Amino acid sequence: MPLGRLTNRQVRLAARPSGLPRATDWSLTIEEVPEPAEGQFVVAVSHLSVDPAMRGWMNAGASYIPPVEIGAVMRAGTVGRVTASAHPGFAVGDDVSGTFGVQEYAVSDGRGVIKIDTSLAGPSTYLGALGMTGLTAYFGLLDTGRLKDGDTVVVSGAAGAVGSMAGQIAKIKGARVIGITGGPDKCRALVDDFGFDAAIDYRADNVRKALGEHAPRGVDVYFDNVGGEILDAVLTRLARGARVVICGAVSQYNETQVRGPANYMMLLVARASMTGMLVFDYEDRYPQAMAELAGWLRDGKIVSREHVMHGDVGDFPETLLMLFDGVNTGKLVLALDGS
Amino acid sequence: MPLGRLTNRQVRLAARPSGLPRATDWSLTIEEVPEPAEGQFVVAVSHLSVDPAMRGWMNAGASYIPPVEIGAVMRAGTVGRVTASAHPGFAVGDDVSGTFGVQEYAVSDGRGVIKIDTSLAGPSTYLGALGMTGLTAYFGLLDTGRLKDGDTVVVSGAAGAVGSMAGQIAKIKGARVIGITGGPDKCRALVDDFGFDAAIDYRADNVRKALGEHAPRGVDVYFDNVGGEILDAVLTRLARGARVVICGAVSQYNETQVRGPANYMMLLVARASMTGMLVFDYEDRYPQAMAELAGWLRDGKIVSREHVMHGDVGDFPETLLMLFDGVNTGKLVLALDGS
């Protein structure tokens, strides 16, 4: 590699994991950073979004998005700054958000890239409250969940990125909100920091029983990020006409044998629905939603909590595992300070 | 019992079954038929509806309807004729339909009872196409399933009472209809008698593979009567925005450990919904639906197939088991000829 050229360190998928991803499922490669061709620009990635959905992208087979191919740079939502440009719409110094992957530099033609205003909120907030995280919570709750004033809402994975946003949005919209999370610290964060009405610690409490206490008239909207036993418990507490929003299933992503919701017939008992949602379907409504989210953030009605780890791209594999240990509160971000 | 008084033989629930109901879960009692009090009438039951849902009513615990209590006459939809009346709205000789239970005579105050016109269709048809069976298929498909012209519809338990009606209604409404059932005879009946476009034999075929052939663009509406493995197979073949209608789960009713749909995350991949339905919620729309169903029946657009067993109330326990063996084609009815 010629002296003086920038190097780009990249994390690539080396093997498809079975269960939790291991070190051997990844490879670290180093390339030189190319010059942008006409209509392209180069971004120096500063912040990586670390998401449960990434685990799904590592599996073979059709899903809502093609899998990351073996040998490809791992897909990731990111924020960065333009360092070179031959694109009329992007100038050196522009702050941008896009799916640039787990690498230090990316070349882009601008598709799917949006410019961000880092004076309004820090870069990591554009991966959280003002990014896919906030938008997922927003559309999942208001569109798929058809939230109504006075509803009782339950959110699982409630201290996580999407969950903490979903709970706060539900509160703004006049719902009573109960969060399910693991451990006393996170329970405290739900009530004290995010303004939930109640918190259930699934490690210490009987979720079904606790829901009976906190939601005596049943659950109108259940925003599910975890699947598994917790989904089954909430299904037994649905109010008539309840809406279950399937956003994720983090408890199941590393299981080779997925546990289906054995209590799904409670959908019949409650005349309830269970609906899958994907934020990408709402692309034409992102601007309106982001404006509303930014307004709430500015007015202090929502708190964007980012759990920022500092390191370099080589720390990505370990950071990803934090999600499955339930270590993070709020949006997990890897800031590339070491590059 | 005084000579000359009519006797009423009744089947009562003696114990809550675990798995398939056994003879010891039932008791046969004999009472005398009371005189109707003011505002009451007596019905001689002639036809009993034998339904998969009955198995659920035998379990303890809250559901969409209270369980049948131990010692109570088994709940059943029935048709019969008024034999004595002190009720202004019902006269001796009226043919009626109501939830009179597994017994030869019932006393009623008329609530939930409708008069039927047996010159239009035979009594057992009022338990099938023109009864709860037809209404369940009608509202499940058109309301919960939001059927649209050109949709691809899959029905499981397709040769059963509700399934065969659902498939025929879907055809009338312009859908392509694929039925799933067990055995070559029933497959033939689906196509030849009920006009389905294709039939899949779940005992002989790989359901997932067969759906790939018969529904290459995916399944828009899945009307599920069975649950279990078949539900899981269909979930992998949903078209974008598909609607899964949960009407029953006959494969699971006798299981002590219900199998949840392990592929439920396909709801997210397909942005699909899974919704439980109960016909009772549509009571105010029964007349309109029954008129439409009767019109189709009269015009030969639907076939009402009743599988009528002849016997007395004591044959009910054995008749019920036929449902779980998948022996019946169409609506299973026990005609009380022996009384």
Side-chain angles (χ1 to χ4, degrees), chain A residues 191-278:
Chain A
V191 174
D192 294 348
D193 302 348
F194 298 124
F196 284 56
D197 294 292
I200 297 172
D201 180 355
Y202 73 86
R203 291 182 187 151
D205 303 334
N206 176 319
V207 173
R208 186 168 185 279
K209 199 178 278 183
L211 284 172
E213 285 158 28
H214 292 303
R217 286 175 310 171
V219 177
D220 299 299
V221 177
Y222 174 46
F223 195 108
D224 187 31
N225 293 301
V226 304
E229 284 177 31
I230 292 175
L231 171 55
D232 258 333
V234 182
L235 283 171
T236 68
R237 295 297 190 189
L238 297 181
R240 178 78 75 89
R243 288 84 68 199
V244 176
V245 181
I246 300 294
C247 176
V250 70
S251 77
Q252 303 297 305
Y253 290 158
N254 294 293
E255 302 296 325
T256 45
Q257 196 75 35
V258 170
R259 174 200 163 109
N263 294 332
Y264 82 102
M265 285 298 284
M266 299 305 286
L267 295 175
L268 189 148
V269 173
R271 290 79 144 170
S273 64
M274 185 153 98
T275 307
M277 75 83 54
L278 264 180

Side-chain angles (χ1 to χ4, degrees), chain A residues 63-64 227 231 240 246-249 253 258-262 264-265 267-269 271-278 281, chain B residues 63-64 224 227 231 240 246-249 253 258-262 264-265 267-269 271-278 281:
Chain A
S63 183
Y64 60 90
L231 171 55
R240 178 78 75 89
I246 300 294
C247 176
Y253 290 158
V258 170
R259 174 200 163 109
Y264 82 102
M265 285 298 284
L267 295 175
L268 189 148
V269 173
R271 290 79 144 170
S273 64
M274 185 153 98
T275 307
M277 75 83 54
L278 264 180
D281 295 337
Chain B
S63 183
Y64 60 90
D224 188 31
L231 171 55
R240 178 78 73 92
I246 300 294
C247 176
Y253 290 159
V258 170
R259 175 199 162 109
Y264 82 102
M265 283 299 284
L267 296 175
L268 190 148
V269 173
R271 289 77 146 171
S273 65
M274 185 152 98
T275 308
M277 74 84 54
L278 264 180
D281 294 337

